Amino acid sequence: MLNLILFGPPGSGKGTQAENIIAKYGILHISTGDMFRYELSNNTELGQLAKSYMDKGELVPDSVTIAMLEKRVNENPDAKGIIFDGFPRTVAQAEALDALLASKGTEITTLLSLEVPTEELVARLLNRGHSSGRADDKDESIIRNRISVYHGDTKPVFDYYDEKRKAISIQGVGSIDDIFCSIQEQLDPLV
Ligand code: AMP
């Protein structure tokens, strides 16, 4: 199984590259951000809870996020691999993910981290805010908070997998095609 974590700060291109990866490698895409937005669009209790954090650029609590993720993985026993997009965002989430996969006799194959300078991220997200309708992309102070949450809470997830020699950094600036070429160079030997 190819179990991939697509990692990087908000605006680093994870969603875009996830689409390319799914198209080529045929693995299941799980984006916790998309799942929360889906819950919100259906006005569920979970959606309302998530919104109270998303609107501020904060992380939804681990207990809620991990339970939602585990449910989705358990619903897809036949997946030939999974791309985790926007998860794990804390070391506790990473530990829960590793335990879940171990209970199924599998593990994370690799973590690919898209590296993009902060000012480029802010510019990309403000630009996306004009077209996406995402409330958390419209306000520069919320964008900057999401980036600082990334550095404080999420970056340690890179170190966690780096210690296991599973973390790889990829230059996330350039054309979408060039960045996908760098991703394929890493993934092709693994499949
Ligand atoms: P994203 O679409 O991945 O940028 O996520 C949008 C927002 O959803 C984040 O700013 C968080 O508020 C929430 N979120 C998504 N994934 C997670 C996660 N793994 N842990 C906690 N909060 C998350």
Side-chain angles (χ1 to χ4, degrees):
M1 272 178 98
L2 175 64
N3 293 317
L4 171 69
I5 297 172
L6 197 53
F7 195 75
S12 57
K14 297 189 294 295
T16 305
Q17 294 301 340
E19 284 176 22
N20 286 335
I21 293 167
I22 298 153
K24 175 162 180 186
Y25 300 96
I27 56 180
L28 175 71
H29 182 211
I30 299 184
S31 157
T32 42
D34 284 352
M35 291 174 78
F36 286 133
R37 281 183 289 278
Y38 178 78
E39 294 291 330
L40 186 54
S41 71
N42 285 295
N43 207 15
T44 64
E45 215 172 297
L46 173 58
Q48 287 304 323
L49 175 84
K51 178 177 162 45
S52 63
Y53 295 93
M54 293 165 84
D55 281 355
K56 291 182 278 188
E58 301 289 341
L59 295 182
V60 179
D62 280 343
S63 56
V64 175
T65 307
I66 290 168
M68 179 179 77
L69 183 281
E70 289 184 345
K71 181 164 177 281
R72 176 58 61 89
V73 172
N74 288 331
E75 283 165 356
N76 288 279
D78 299 329
K80 68 174 198 174
I82 303 179
I83 173 166
F84 296 94
D85 166 4
F87 184 97
R89 266 176 153 100
T90 63
V91 171
Q93 291 181 12
E95 288 169 346
L97 178 61
D98 283 354
L100 176 69
L101 294 179
S103 76
K104 296 176 187 303
T106 184
E107 62 182 347
I108 288 298
T109 314
T110 193
L111 174 152
L112 297 183
S113 178
L114 298 172
E115 307 294 336
V116 177
T118 298
E119 291 315 309
E120 166 86 12
L121 295 172
V122 174
R124 285 187 190 181
L125 289 167
L126 282 171
N127 194 34
R128 187 168 78 182
H130 292 308
S131 53
S132 75
R134 276 182 59 166
D136 58 348
D137 284 344
K138 291 198 191 310
D139 181 314
E140 185 167 338
S141 66
I142 294 172
I143 289 172
R144 288 193 185 275
N145 190 41
R146 287 159 64 202
I147 295 170
S148 95
V149 167
Y150 170 78
H151 286 292
D153 294 343
T154 303
K155 204 72 208 283
V157 172
F158 182 93
D159 303 330
Y160 172 89
Y161 284 105
D162 197 32
E163 278 170 22
K164 300 176 191 289
R165 305 200 176 281
K166 290 185 174 184
I168 295 167
S169 293
I170 297 217
Q171 169 70 258
V173 179
S175 77
I176 291 171
D177 286 349
D178 285 348
I179 296 166
F180 186 51
C181 278
S182 311
I183 290 175
Q184 291 173 87
E185 276 171 23
Q186 298 298 332
L187 295 186
D188 283 349
L190 302 174
V191 293

